[in-house]
Amino acid sequence: MNKYKENGAVFNCAVFEERLKELGVDIGVLSINVCKVTSSTNDDAELYAREKCDTPYALFVADEQTGGKGRLGRSFYSKEGGLYMSLLIKGPLPPAFALELTSLSGVALCQAIEHLSPLSPKIKWVNDVYLNGRKAAGILAKGRLAANNDEPRLEYAVVGIGVNVETTAFPSELKDSAISLCELTERPPSREMLCAEIISTLLSLLDKIGSVYIAEEYRKRSFLDGKRVRIIEGDTEYTATVLGITDKCELIVDKDGKTEILNSAEVTVRF
Ligand code: BTN
């Protein structure tokens, strides 16, 4: 992964590291890798996990991604101006960790934005962060099951976060649905400050995994509560009303008068 050695990135690693230290993060536990352009920081983190990760965590940040990945095989628009980061967490980890990591990261991202700006982000279940009814950030978490273990365990988990910080021009298909922090506040946080705040918040929330705190914080920011939504589960599509979020951050919906709990599905408010 020479691109991380050559660097040349606009993202200022020294400023970022300084801020991490100010926030009290022990940077000895984290390998920091920054580059100008890559295909996907999530892919880089996974490659690193399999090849040589020798710290509990490793962070990958790029100014730009040429193949940014979103959920359900979609792409994530990743031109310069956004923050594209992936955190690798070394295992062994319980299998449920990857799911919880998505909700936890949504909460961490919202708390970080709230801390650094006057904005009030919302979480659109399960992995999008919304501002003014539009998508400002996306989260993609993944885990790899370890082979040959009596008890199932994840070898590692990777959480990728993409935030539209200073993205000024979106392609036409995203113009109505995407938004950038710089459209809503005169002084958006720098990518370095935001990244440090996210990492510091995320690492401290990891201690709370499995506790109801994550769901409580998630509920406070839930974008879909009370909304009429379209739900897509494989080949099945239906309309439902969102009732809330469970203590495991699952979505509770009313479907034709019957309460259902979803732990994975595609939910859209645009139909
Ligand atoms: C989604 O919107 O469905 C999730 C988007 C996740 C995007 C981030 S950007 C950094 C990391 N690298 C990727 O290829 N994807 C994630």
Side-chain angles (χ1 to χ4, degrees):
M1 285 202 269
N2 279 340
K3 57 195 160 201
Y4 287 96
K5 288 196 184 102
E6 288 154 15
N7 197 323
V10 178
F11 185 94
N12 190 322
C13 204
V15 169
F16 167 69
E17 279 194 31
E18 199 46 48
R19 185 62 191 151
L20 268 187
K21 283 187 211 149
E22 282 169 13
L23 290 169
V25 175
D26 169 11
I27 64 167
V29 299
L30 181 70
S31 146
I32 299 170
N33 307 277
V34 175
C35 79
K36 190 156 183 53
V37 53
T38 188
S39 171
S40 158
T41 53
N42 265 26
D43 287 352
D44 295 339
E46 284 208 59
L47 195 66
Y48 191 77
R50 292 176 204 188
E51 279 181 355
K52 60 162 180 192
C53 186
D54 49 12
T55 48
Y57 306 97
L59 175 69
F60 292 80
V61 182
D63 287 342
E64 189 178 336
Q65 297 183 119
T66 52
K69 293 179 174 174
R71 252 182 104 224
L72 306 167
R74 298 204 178 105
S75 60
F76 186 79
Y77 184 73
S78 306
K79 288 281 180 231
E80 208 175 304
L83 171 63
Y84 313 111
M85 56 183 279
S86 299
L87 180 70
L88 164 69
I89 303 167
K90 248 177 69 171
L93 301 159
F97 187 91
L99 267 182
E100 290 187 56
L101 188 58
T102 303
S103 339
L104 180 151
S105 303
V107 170
L109 177 52
C110 287
Q111 290 182 341
I113 294 173
E114 288 159 12
H115 208 232
L116 296 174
S117 77
L119 302 171
S120 303
K122 301 266 177 245
I123 310 173
K124 178 189 158 279
W125 192 85
V126 53
N127 66 329
D128 292 338
V129 169
Y130 268 45
L131 284 164
N132 282 20
R134 295 195 203 178
K135 178 164 167 171
I139 294 163
L140 182 63
K142 200 175 163 190
R144 181 184 157 95
L145 269 181
N148 307 328
N149 249 352
D150 297 343
E151 232 184 299
R153 282 275 174 255
L154 296 181
E155 217 171 272
Y156 62 81
V158 169
V159 59
I161 302 178
V163 191
N164 306 325
V165 182
E166 301 223 37
T167 318
T168 44
F170 289 104
S172 56
E173 67 273 18
L174 294 179
K175 257 200 338 235
D176 296 334
S177 58
I179 198 159
S180 185
L181 303 194
C182 70
E183 294 177 63
L184 298 170
T185 173
E186 267 178 36
R187 279 206 217 143
S190 69
R191 291 179 307 142
E192 292 82 357
M193 292 294 135
L194 184 58
C195 188
E197 196 72 36
I198 294 170
I199 291 294
S200 152
T201 313
L202 209 153
L203 291 182
S204 62
L205 286 187
L206 284 178
D207 290 340
K208 296 203 161 53
I209 217 152
S211 90
V212 75
Y213 173 84
I214 305 296
E216 284 167 356
E217 290 299 303
Y218 196 104
R219 275 187 204 114
K220 286 185 200 163
R221 299 168 177 87
S222 177
F223 175 70
L224 293 178
D225 275 21
K227 288 198 170 54
R228 198 78 189 136
V229 294
R230 186 105 197 118
I231 296 177
I232 305 157
E233 283 181 292
D235 293 340
T236 320
E237 273 196 49
Y238 56 92
T239 306
T241 302
V242 173
L243 301 176
I245 300 288
T246 69
D247 283 353
K248 289 185 186 155
C249 292
E250 298 149 319
L251 193 71
I252 314 169
V253 298
D254 177 303
K255 181 188 174 193
D256 304 326
K258 205 172 145 237
T259 302
E260 304 225 344
I261 292 182
L262 309 176
N263 54 28
S264 76
E266 191 188 353
V267 180
T268 174
V269 278
R270 293 164 201 269
F271 52 95

